[in-house]
Amino acid sequence: MTLAIIGAGMAGLSCASQLRKAGLSPVVFEKSRGTGGRLATRRSVYGGFDHGAQFVTARDAGFKAYLDHAAGLGRAAHWVDPASGDESWWTGTPGMSGLVKPMLEGLDVRTGQRVAQMRREGPGWVLSLETSEEQTFDTVLLAVPVVQALDLLAGHAAAFPGLESVDIAPCWTGMFVFDEALPISLSVIQRAGDIAWAARETARPQREGDAERWVVQASADWSRRYLEETPEAIRPLLLKQFRAAAGVILPEPAHADVHRWRYAKVERPLGQVCLWDGALKLGLAGDWCLAARVEAAFLSGRALADAVVTASAS
């Protein structure tokens, strides 16, 4: 079986690593230059910014085991909630993208290769890359945000009813550096006005650099309101909201950058662990199948891999 996975975030890599354990050899296509999806780390001369998912938690035994494994490899660490002292948070090391690195071993992951279209041809699928190159596979698995999956599915979306009902909220994220430590007692601010989250990066375990850098994420409503604004317009607006949330006078940042996540947080999931059509040899996985949690992406990817393995054995 030739098998392609589109998307190298937690769901796609969880699926791929599970398939590899079963003796299959998936090819993973990722449009970005790196892996991890929303488990993202932005590098800068000041140090890293974890500007996507902020932490993960684990309830499932399999995901707990994976995090323990990643920790043993130096890719994950406990991050104690500074407000409650709760030790249930996990963070990737040296950045959030580190959480997926243990799954990459032995995988054929092709970064910087965007799949622009896919079409059914005979018993297989032809993937058209943005470079105009075409490749054919027996089976295709989509591990991307549901809106992007719908675009790729085109006329085959009817095989998976309910996709249009999934809602995913956007998020504008700011990355700010200050010349000196800010007079903010807590290193994490949550749900303060139009700010959903703000965190001092150096408060995370095993972070490089000592620059006073903050990741600030706007609420879903605020992000929707300003979704189509330019980054230049968003920077001062988001900084203003951060000042209000912090409740202190803040100096002008020495560095300011923003990132728009169009598909950041699942608000209404599909309610199924994954989707698989054995006749079409086509499947879908992602956190949007289950819940707004990184663990949901991990479980969805593994479930899809199990469905493929079961089908190939029958």
Side-chain angles (χ1 to χ4, degrees), residues 55-58 67 77-81 84-91:
F55 62 88
V56 305
T57 59
L67 290 176
H78 279 290
W79 181 22
V80 179
D81 178 350
S84 68
D86 186 356
E87 297 184 359
S88 66
W89 291 2
W90 286 85
T91 182

Side-chain angles (χ1 to χ4, degrees), residues 74-226:
R75 290 299 191 174
H78 279 290
W79 181 22
V80 179
D81 178 350
S84 68
D86 186 356
E87 297 184 359
S88 66
W89 291 2
W90 286 85
T91 182
T93 55
M96 284 299 288
S97 57
L99 285 176
V100 301
K101 302 304 183 187
M103 293 187 285
L104 295 175
E105 185 177 356
L107 292 180
D108 183 355
V109 180
R110 304 177 186 182
T111 57
Q113 296 197 28
R114 178 177 176 268
V115 177
Q117 293 180 321
M118 50 185 278
R119 69 178 185 274
R120 187 79 165 152
E121 197 167 282
W125 293 93
V126 178
L127 303 187
S128 299
L129 304 182
E130 205 167 39
T131 57
S132 299
E133 178 187 356
E134 292 191 338
Q135 297 188 33
T136 302
F137 295 89
D138 299 321
T139 300
V140 173
L141 308 176
L142 306 182
V144 295
V146 65
V147 175
Q148 296 174 2
L150 283 166
D151 287 342
L152 287 170
L153 287 171
H156 298 284
F160 304 105
L163 295 182
E164 294 84 354
S165 69
V166 175
D167 280 341
I168 304 181
C171 179
W172 271 110
T173 297
M175 292 156 274
F176 301 110
V177 178
F178 299 91
D179 287 330
E180 57 187 34
L182 299 182
I184 301 174
S185 58
L186 288 176
S187 56
V188 171
I189 299 170
Q190 298 187 69
R191 295 179 293 278
D194 287 319
I195 297 302
W197 171 277
R200 181 182 276 122
E201 282 295 295
T202 52
R204 295 172 177 272
Q206 302 179 36
R207 288 308 186 262
E208 299 174 350
D210 56 5
E212 179 75 350
R213 56 193 191 274
W214 284 76
V215 166
V216 180
Q217 296 186 325
S219 68
D221 287 344
W222 194 94
S223 297
R224 285 193 185 96
R225 193 182 319 146
Y226 296 102

Side-chain angles (χ1 to χ4, degrees), residues 214-266:
W214 284 76
V215 166
V216 180
Q217 296 186 325
S219 68
D221 287 344
W222 194 94
S223 297
R224 285 193 185 96
R225 193 182 319 146
Y226 296 102
L227 185 61
E228 301 304 333
E229 290 287 351
T230 64
E232 292 73 22
I234 287 296
R235 286 189 197 106
L237 293 176
L238 193 52
L239 183 61
K240 179 181 178 181
Q241 296 303 322
F242 178 37
R243 287 192 175 108
V248 298
I249 297 175
L250 302 181
E252 286 300 309
H255 168 84
D257 199 3
V258 294
H259 181 86
R260 176 179 58 194
W261 297 98
R262 281 194 178 273
Y263 314 110
K265 185 175 182 180
V266 179

